């Protein structure tokens, strides 16, 4: 399956599971066979066929249908937020992401941090507090991150950590260390291709 088709199928199935659970009145658990019947009734026979021909997908859908409604909705909300955050990195999708979910779009400051990380070749940053504000120094490369908007720096860093674009650790003195992830590097490279 080509990447676009796989992405669309994934998002369609996730959306249909959410819709099915919602229409069934939020019952705590739903049966897979009920979901298949519902797919046919709602004119999604092609999705039903794809599921029936993929045993791994059947198992995954069954697990999702067994989850409690609140937990499932919380995870779906997290996926939606993550998707908007990542998609907003691409200028073609940014406006739509901001319009639909303004709180999830990554700021230009957050993108700048990722771009500087990638171009430095470094993998770790040390956050230190000075009289002039917060400094982000590379531990394994030359220089520092130039911050566009110091006011929301902590918010941007926390968002990047939550999205797994950075990981957070600390040194022996308790100072925060941010680690650049493979996912972040790939995102930056795709933005520039």
């Amino acid at each position: 399956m080509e990447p676009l088709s796989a992405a669309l199928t994934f998002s369609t199935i996730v959306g249909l599971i959410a819709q099915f659970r919602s229409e069934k009145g939020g019952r705590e658990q739903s049966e897979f066979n009920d979901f298949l019947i519902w797919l046919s009734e709602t004119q999604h026979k092609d999705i039903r066929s794809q599921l029936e021909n993929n045993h791994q997908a059947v198992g995954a859908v069954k697990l999702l249908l067994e989850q409690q409604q609140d937990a499932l909705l919380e995870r779906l909300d997290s996926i939606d937020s993550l998707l908007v955050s990542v998609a907003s990195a691409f200028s073609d999708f940014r406006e739509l992401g901001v319009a639909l979910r303004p709180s999830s779009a990554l700021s230009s400051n957050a993108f700048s941090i990722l771009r500087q990380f990638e171009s430095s070749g470094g993998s770790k940053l040390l956050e230190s507090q000075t009289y002039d504000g917060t400094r982000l120094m590379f531990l394994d490369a030359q220089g520092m991150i130039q911050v566009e908007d110091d006011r929301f720096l902590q918010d941007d860093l926390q968002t990047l950590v939550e999205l797994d674009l950075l990981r957070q650790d600390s040194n022996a003195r308790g100072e925060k260390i941010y680690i650049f992830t493979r996912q972040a590097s790939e995102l930056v490279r795709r933005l520039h291709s």
Side-chain angles (χ1 to χ4, degrees):
M1 183 179 291
E2 58 186 82
L4 179 60
S5 179
L8 291 174
T9 300
F10 174 80
S11 61
T12 299
I13 290 172
V14 169
L16 289 171
I17 289 170
Q19 185 179 348
F20 170 73
R21 291 289 300 269
S22 176
E23 286 183 16
K24 296 300 176 188
R27 287 189 306 189
E28 288 304 315
Q29 294 183 346
S30 301
E31 294 292 325
F32 181 73
N33 289 335
D34 294 338
F35 181 59
L36 291 179
I37 292 167
W38 179 85
L39 286 173
S40 293
E41 291 171 351
T42 57
Q43 307 305 314
H44 294 289
K45 293 178 184 174
D46 54 330
I47 297 292
R48 178 183 173 148
S49 177
Q50 285 182 344
L51 285 175
E52 289 176 324
N53 293 321
N54 185 331
H55 295 293
Q56 188 175 4
V58 167
V61 170
K62 284 181 178 179
L63 287 174
L64 289 172
L65 291 171
E66 291 173 1
Q67 289 186 13
Q68 292 184 353
Q69 181 77 357
D70 292 344
L72 180 63
L73 291 176
E74 185 176 311
R75 285 187 184 92
L76 290 173
D77 187 57
S78 295
I79 289 170
D80 185 55
S81 180
L82 177 61
L83 180 60
V84 169
S85 295
V86 172
S88 68
F90 298 92
S91 59
D92 298 353
F93 294 101
R94 182 165 181 73
E95 193 172 323
L96 179 61
V98 169
L100 295 176
R101 197 174 181 131
S103 64
S104 294
L106 282 177
S107 70
S108 62
N109 197 43
F111 287 127
S112 175
I113 291 168
L114 295 179
R115 281 192 298 272
Q116 290 177 68
F117 232 133
E118 179 67 19
S119 65
S120 76
S123 64
K124 294 180 182 177
L125 279 177
L126 173 67
E127 177 186 279
S128 59
Q129 302 301 323
T130 68
Y131 291 113
D132 296 332
T134 302
R135 294 178 62 199
L136 298 171
M137 266 186 329
F138 290 106
L139 292 175
D140 53 357
Q142 293 295 316
M144 296 178 15
I145 293 284
Q146 300 301 313
V147 178
E148 295 172 6
D149 187 358
D150 196 44
R151 180 178 180 199
F152 297 106
L153 176 62
Q154 292 305 313
D155 182 52
D156 290 331
L157 290 169
Q158 185 61 40
T159 299
L160 292 170
V161 168
E162 289 170 1
L163 294 174
D164 256 352
L165 297 171
L166 296 180
R167 291 209 175 83
Q168 186 177 326
D169 200 356
S170 59
N171 64 14
R173 295 190 315 199
E175 296 170 309
K176 293 178 185 174
I177 295 174
Y178 293 97
I179 303 163
F180 195 54
T181 66
R182 184 181 311 272
Q183 181 179 343
S185 178
E186 181 67 25
L187 175 63
V188 172
R189 279 187 268 145
R190 286 181 186 254
L191 287 172
H192 292 292
S193 60

